[in-house]
Amino acid sequence: MPGSYKVLYRGGEGCLMEKKSKFIATTCPVQSEEEALQFIEAMRKKYWDARHNCFAYVIGERGELQRFSDDGEPQGTAGKPMLDVLLGEGIRNIAVVATRYFGGTLLGTGGLVRAYSGAVREGLASSLIITRIPGVKLHIRTDYTGLGKIQYILGEMGIRILESAYTDEVEIWTVAASDVVKKVIDEITEGTSGRAHITEEGHCLFAEAEGEIIIEERP
């Protein structure tokens, strides 16, 4: 969907063993570089006895801020492969630290790249990633005869009713992706023969997480 992008909503942890070396990848949602650096420092303190704590993070709606570190591993074998996994998945506002406990066997350049990349994928597998979609909040007013038709149209388009009120008329609040708003309005207007009154109440970003719709206001 145009303008949509994935973000980390809830962090997780994954583990990978490679020739007795243990790799622990921990992910964390971050909104700024300061938050990312605080998380990295916290992981360094938690795994203070590990040989390496490598990291990568991507911040911003378009991934404007990208950083990584090999933390003593051979150049290009840890941080960059970790970042490449995040960019390949298209995830924003995420920091990941991959901790390595050395198992006594050298893995070589290719082995390290595979291990760090694989650890990050394990970390992502235990995380919750959501897709933020540019949308428009809608307020719909109708008489009771139009309610069934509106519910049917919204259901067919996969649009959930977020809130409703029933008095002498029916009020419905929902959110629709920006690129289908006109279609929603046109179909409801036609389906209710113009009896429904629809008001656009502002642009936003929205996403579904654990069965709930999360709305973020947008200028």
Side-chain angles (χ1 to χ4, degrees), residues 26 28 30 32-40 44 53-60 62-71 76 78-87 91-98 120:
T26 310
C28 180
V30 292
S32 66
E33 187 163 33
E34 181 181 6
E35 288 183 13
L37 295 176
Q38 288 173 350
F39 164 66
I40 292 164
R44 283 175 173 159
N53 283 291
C54 308
F55 69 79
Y57 54 86
V58 181
I59 300 170
R62 294 176 298 279
E64 301 94 324
L65 181 59
Q66 303 173 15
R67 298 284 188 273
F68 62 86
S69 169
D70 296 312
D71 192 36
K80 183 60 164 61
M82 291 167 63
L83 179 66
D84 287 343
V85 172
L86 302 184
L87 296 177
I91 305 170
R92 310 288 185 252
N93 295 353
I94 180 173
V96 58
V97 173
V120 172

Side-chain angles (χ1 to χ4, degrees), residues 195-207:
R195 294 193 305 274
H197 300 276
I198 307 170
T199 305
E200 297 184 26
E201 296 197 323
H203 294 271
C204 65
L205 290 168
F206 72 99

Side-chain angles (χ1 to χ4, degrees), residues 100-206:
R100 181 190 182 190
Y101 285 93
F102 185 56
T105 302
L106 296 175
L107 301 182
T109 300
L112 286 172
V113 169
R114 287 190 297 272
Y116 278 105
S117 299
V120 172
R121 292 190 182 93
E122 292 293 329
L124 292 178
S126 68
S127 307
L128 179 57
I129 298 162
I130 62 175
T131 300
R132 281 183 175 163
I133 302 169
V136 177
K137 295 180 291 181
L138 298 176
H139 176 215
I140 306 167
R141 292 188 297 111
T142 183
D143 55 29
Y144 281 83
T145 58
L147 177 59
K149 187 66 176 179
I150 292 171
Q151 290 173 325
Y152 174 79
I153 291 170
L154 293 179
E156 284 291 294
M157 299 184 73
I159 298 173
R160 289 170 53 178
I161 293 174
L162 304 180
E163 188 180 346
S164 55
Y166 300 88
T167 53
D168 56 333
E169 62 179 2
V170 182
E171 292 183 87
I172 293 170
W173 288 267
T174 188
V175 61
S178 299
D179 58 349
V180 300
V181 168
K182 184 179 185 303
K183 183 179 180 182
V184 173
I185 293 174
D186 289 346
E187 291 204 10
I188 290 177
T189 300
E190 181 180 348
T192 61
S193 300
R195 294 193 305 274
H197 300 276
I198 307 170
T199 305
E200 297 184 26
E201 296 197 323
H203 294 271
C204 65
L205 290 168
F206 72 99

